[in-house]
Amino acid sequence: MYHGRRGDVPCATMRETACLFVSLLAACAASVSPEPSGVPEMPAAESMVRASYRGVVELEAHLANPGDTVPLPLGWAQTCDASGACLVEQAAGEGAEVQRIWSTPEATWIEGDANRLSGEEALHHRRLLKLFSNADRKSETVVEFTHPRLGTTSDRATYDALSPEGVATAVLVDFHDGGVAWRGSLALEGVTPVDDLAVPEAPPAKSGPGPSIAKIGEGLWDVRLPSLDARSFVVEFESFVVTVEAPWSSAAGEQAVDLITNQFPDKPIRYALYSHHHPHASGGLRAFMAAGATVVAPTAHAAYLEEVTGRDFSLEPDRLSKAKGQPTSIAFDENFTIAEAGQSLQVIDIGEQSRHTTHYMMFWLPEAKLLIQGDLGWFVAPDGAVRVGGRSAGLLEAIDSRELPVETMLQGWPVNSQEPTLPMAKFRAALSSGG
């Protein structure tokens, strides 16, 4: 199955929703600290059984509009021993292969991966284990927590009658991961006694470079958050800066803001831009609002921005919840231009030409003949070849239909598998050759 950290070319719509569900344990988490507080205790089994469930859930994921959902078949089998070690066998999507996810009190990892999941990823998974375990044999389990992007959130499960083995015969689950959410009912397929759970050795924790900011062109800066495979760009004007992309969460956005304000102590963040509503592009907007930036967004995203602004972070306050004054935004239709001292940046909503979301912004710097876009353009294969797909063709159509003389493109995501810059000639050549 497609795994969000692999850096593959985006998959087709139904398969993409399945890989997005799998990525709730990986790429979509908004991890900042390696060991989060408040991790739910692992459910310890009195007598070990493998409980297998199957059903269809409504997945709210990286779809065309905020709040859109898509039905997703889900198979879930869970086995936990008395020490708190658990094995989950998960199949997300029609005909999907089974993914095995191990958890112990010390670590959580996907079988076959080189590294264990980060602290925030493990926290999401352990909440799901708690929901399925029904360890207290009550009619409902509720876990309240501060979601890194959504604020105060409750995951919950309600249960039907118990089987003779003490396992719920049906579970209605409402669950929120770092980047997706889903709700649905799963029915018990079977209960199998298990004599021994042979837990393999956990892989090591992932290590790598920390957050950074670096100049990549005249008046252009790259802000990287490698642990999240995320970035923001900074466009420097004479008296202020503009940011492009606000990744993942309040905490991640605050990291990016700190890097930017340290680099530009005398230039405020005047405007915060984002390519589309998905978490890796807009999940950190609250941090930029708290820094005083005005968010520029399409008129159709007014309700989305209102929801972002109104999120409840009272349990673990983020900067916006403590800020004085009201966040500001500018709504536009089709185009919006930022200009100062002979320099300009055009925000262009290419909409469904993106073949990704109903509203999708790209950012044109005409003086530099440079285009910034979020995640439509290209991926780099392990052999170094540039790979393109349907979204790439939509992006080229959007560029050519507006007769933009682009010489260089920048891409926001992915971060860890490739450099952000590609000459336009090389992009055209990849599309012409079939990528």
Side-chain angles (χ1 to χ4, degrees), residues 205-368:
K206 188 175 183 179
S207 61
S212 65
I213 182 168
K215 189 173 185 177
I216 55 174
E218 188 60 36
L220 192 64
W221 299 74
D222 180 16
V223 181
R224 294 195 181 201
L225 305 176
S227 67
L228 305 177
D229 196 24
R231 70 156 45 89
S232 294
F233 292 112
V234 178
V235 181
E236 183 182 3
F237 285 77
E238 186 174 276
S239 65
F240 60 87
V241 298
V242 176
T243 61
V244 177
E245 305 294 53
W248 284 123
S249 68
S250 284
E254 288 167 10
Q255 282 190 333
V257 165
D258 288 346
L259 289 167
I260 295 165
T261 55
N262 288 337
Q263 183 66 47
F264 302 100
D266 300 321
K267 293 186 178 183
I269 303 174
R270 180 72 56 81
Y271 300 104
L273 314 178
Y274 64 98
S275 59
H276 58 308
H277 68 276
H278 294 167
H280 60 277
S282 70
L285 278 174
R286 288 177 59 89
F288 293 86
M289 293 174 179
T294 295
V295 177
V296 178
T299 302
H301 277 194
Y304 171 65
L305 287 185
E306 184 177 354
E307 184 272 322
V308 169
T309 304
R311 289 170 182 168
D312 177 11
F313 275 80
S314 57
L315 289 179
E316 296 181 26
D318 65 355
R319 291 179 186 173
L320 185 60
S321 64
K322 296 182 286 186
K324 297 178 181 179
Q326 292 296 314
T328 58
S329 63
I330 294 175
F332 74 96
D333 295 305
E334 297 187 11
N335 299 278
F336 180 82
T337 299
I338 299 166
E340 183 188 46
Q343 179 184 357
S344 63
L345 185 160
Q346 297 176 17
V347 184
I348 303 170
D349 185 358
I350 66 172
E352 294 182 353
Q353 280 183 309
S354 69
R355 305 183 187 178
H356 188 33
T357 55
T358 302
H359 293 276
Y360 196 103
M361 279 61 72
M362 62 183 188
F363 312 96
W364 169 232
L365 282 68
E367 290 78 25

Side-chain angles (χ1 to χ4, degrees), residues 66-83:
D68 282 359
T69 64
V70 63
L72 181 72
L74 175 64
W76 180 279
Q78 181 167 312
T79 309
C80 297
D81 67 15
S83 74

Side-chain angles (χ1 to χ4, degrees), residues 72-135:
L72 181 72
L74 175 64
W76 180 279
Q78 181 167 312
T79 309
C80 297
D81 67 15
S83 74
C86 294
L87 168 64
V88 166
E89 298 159 275
Q90 172 189 286
E94 196 68 50
E97 66 181 73
V98 174
Q99 188 175 51
R100 292 163 61 90
I101 306 149
W102 292 91
S103 289
T104 69
E106 294 78 31
T108 302
W109 68 98
I110 299 171
E111 188 171 282
D113 274 13
N115 299 107
R116 65 184 65 180
L117 300 183
S118 71
E120 195 71 54
E121 293 166 332
L123 177 58
H124 291 312
H125 182 63
R126 293 180 191 186
R127 283 201 318 275
L128 200 48
L129 287 173
K130 184 177 179 67
L131 295 181
F132 272 98
S133 71
N134 190 20

